[in-house]
Amino acid sequence: MILKPSGEYVATSTEFACSIYKQALGLMFRKNIPEGYALIFVMNKSKKVSLHMLFVNFEIDVLFLDEDKRIVKICGLRPWTGLCSSGTKVKYIIETNTGKAKKACLKVGDMLTFRNEC
């Protein structure tokens, strides 16, 4: 699960993408994701990252986090055509339901809590 500093849930169901294969696959080829779900990418080391939405059939929110799990950028991506770059080095990327960032009142600078399961 992913929590805000206030203890509020951002996601109750999480999956981790730790391997290069799982990170390359991401959410491609899925029909949808359940409400409350988040896919967490854990990079081996902090680096600049770009994401694409090829073969992803639904909109998502993407949160880029630094080593301290602090949000450094938030993007909303559309199916097939969406592109977004972290702009700076990040350690974690969270892909979740579209509108989740707004619904959870997330903003750049917020720190999230989750257990790294890689």
Side-chain angles (χ1 to χ4, degrees):
M1 81 183 63
I2 302 173
L3 298 172
K4 291 174 31 175
S6 64
E8 294 176 75
Y9 291 104
V10 174
T12 54
S13 172
T14 55
E15 179 181 352
F16 286 82
C18 304
S19 69
I20 292 172
Y21 172 75
K22 290 274 282 186
Q23 290 174 4
L25 185 61
L27 296 174
M28 291 192 305
F29 307 112
R30 298 185 193 197
K31 294 187 187 305
N32 57 40
I33 55 175
E35 185 63 34
Y37 171 87
L39 178 59
I40 304 172
F41 293 71
V42 180
M43 305 295 124
N44 290 335
K45 62 180 183 174
S46 293
K47 59 184 174 181
K48 290 183 181 180
V49 184
S50 292
L51 299 178
H52 67 80
M53 291 290 285
L54 293 176
F55 303 104
V56 179
N57 297 304
F58 46 90
E59 293 181 22
I60 62 171
D61 280 357
V62 179
L63 310 172
F64 294 97
L65 286 71
D66 65 15
E67 288 185 359
D68 297 322
K69 300 179 182 171
R70 187 175 310 276
I71 299 172
V72 297
K73 187 171 184 177
I74 301 172
C75 291
L77 296 178
R78 298 178 58 166
W80 288 90
T81 59
L83 294 169
C84 187
S85 172
S86 64
T88 188
K89 290 183 178 181
V90 296
K91 176 76 175 173
Y92 306 96
I93 303 166
I94 299 174
E95 295 182 344
T96 189
N97 306 91
T98 188
K100 176 60 78 175
K102 184 175 182 178
K103 184 176 180 181
C105 300
L106 297 174
K107 61 188 178 312
V108 170
D110 285 351
M111 189 173 285
L112 302 178
T113 303
F114 56 86
R115 184 173 49 212
N116 183 349
E117 296 185 15
C118 288

